[in-house]
Amino acid sequence: SIFQNFFVVNETPHAGLIQTLIAGITNIVFDAIFIVGCNMGVLGAAIGTIFGYVGGTVFSFLYIILRKKNLLHLCFSKPSLKVLEKTSVNGLSDFIFNISSAVVSLIYNIQLLKYFGQNGVNAFGAVMYINFIFVAIFIGISIGTAPIIGYNYGARNDDELHNVIFKTLNIVFIASVLMTVIAEVSAPLLANAFSREPT
């Protein structure tokens, strides 16, 4: 969620954790309601995901609006073409990544429905959920180190900047190796967590 970055700058990273938990729990609850309770299958899973995003977003807005001690506040500002240009250029890579990911997922789902039906989409969804558990570790590392790197870069603390980057790369490398080993060893267990029949 984009709000994670705001919470870090706001010096309330715990709010990001709460927001993620709310979004995840909301998604799980509505998945159970629509998939199991209403027997809506893939459509129910999609609706449950939407409710998960809505739950996390509503919490984020309320946290920023209602909490008086925030460093960041919502307000109206004058339009600025220079700011818009810098923001657009800075966010272009994330925009392209998100759009391409959405398009690839859409194509995957279309092809899975065509060749394997609803079970294929369900299997792909399970793999994506498991994948996100592993990817979330690296997202957490990047979100956690980005403010430190940005601060030292702005303050021109080159020695500390290189030190932070070096340590971060080492952590990422070690985590990558561990995640690969865990994924290979526990693949059947993780797959069976999302399947009624043993694989």
Side-chain angles (χ1 to χ4, degrees):
S1 171
I2 188 63
F3 286 101
Q4 298 284 353
N5 297 324
F6 288 116
F7 289 139
V8 171
V9 175
N10 193 51
E11 297 182 2
T12 53
H14 63 278
L17 173 61
I18 296 172
Q19 184 246 16
T20 302
L21 291 174
I22 289 175
I25 293 171
T26 304
N27 190 355
I28 292 170
V29 169
F30 281 99
D31 274 351
I33 292 173
F34 291 115
I35 297 174
V36 180
C38 299
N39 197 25
M40 295 176 66
V42 176
L43 177 61
I47 296 174
T49 300
I50 292 172
F51 273 99
Y53 279 112
V54 170
T57 302
V58 168
F59 165 80
S60 300
F61 271 114
L62 291 177
Y63 188 90
I64 293 174
I65 293 172
L66 300 179
R67 189 173 183 270
K68 296 181 180 180
K69 297 181 180 180
N70 286 328
L71 299 177
L72 300 177
H73 301 278
L74 294 177
C75 62
F76 292 101
S77 60
K78 295 180 179 180
S80 172
L81 292 177
K82 289 185 177 180
V83 172
L84 179 61
E85 179 184 357
K86 290 181 179 179
T87 304
S88 299
V89 171
N90 187 43
L92 185 61
S93 59
D94 282 338
F95 172 77
I96 293 174
F97 172 78
N98 286 311
I99 292 296
S100 61
S101 297
V103 171
V104 169
S105 295
L106 177 63
I107 295 173
Y108 262 117
N109 285 327
I110 291 173
Q111 294 301 310
L112 287 169
L113 279 173
K114 180 179 178 180
Y115 292 105
F116 302 103
Q118 183 173 315
N119 288 336
V121 176
N122 291 340
F124 179 69
V127 171
M128 288 298 98
Y129 277 121
I130 295 170
N131 175 66
F132 184 74
I133 294 173
F134 290 92
V135 172
I137 294 174
F138 301 105
I139 294 175
I141 293 172
S142 63
I143 291 176
T145 56
I148 301 172
I149 292 173
Y151 173 82
N152 286 291
Y153 178 80
R156 299 187 181 279
N157 296 331
D158 293 336
D159 291 338
E160 184 62 24
L161 179 63
H162 292 152
N163 182 42
V164 171
I165 293 175
F166 178 75
K167 288 181 178 178
T168 302
L169 290 176
N170 283 333
I171 292 172
V172 168
F173 174 76
I174 294 171
S176 300
V177 174
L178 289 176
M179 291 300 100
T180 301
V181 172
I182 292 172
E184 290 293 334
V185 172
S186 61
L189 177 64
L190 293 173
N192 288 332
F194 293 90
S195 174
R196 291 183 180 179
E197 298 181 3
T199 57

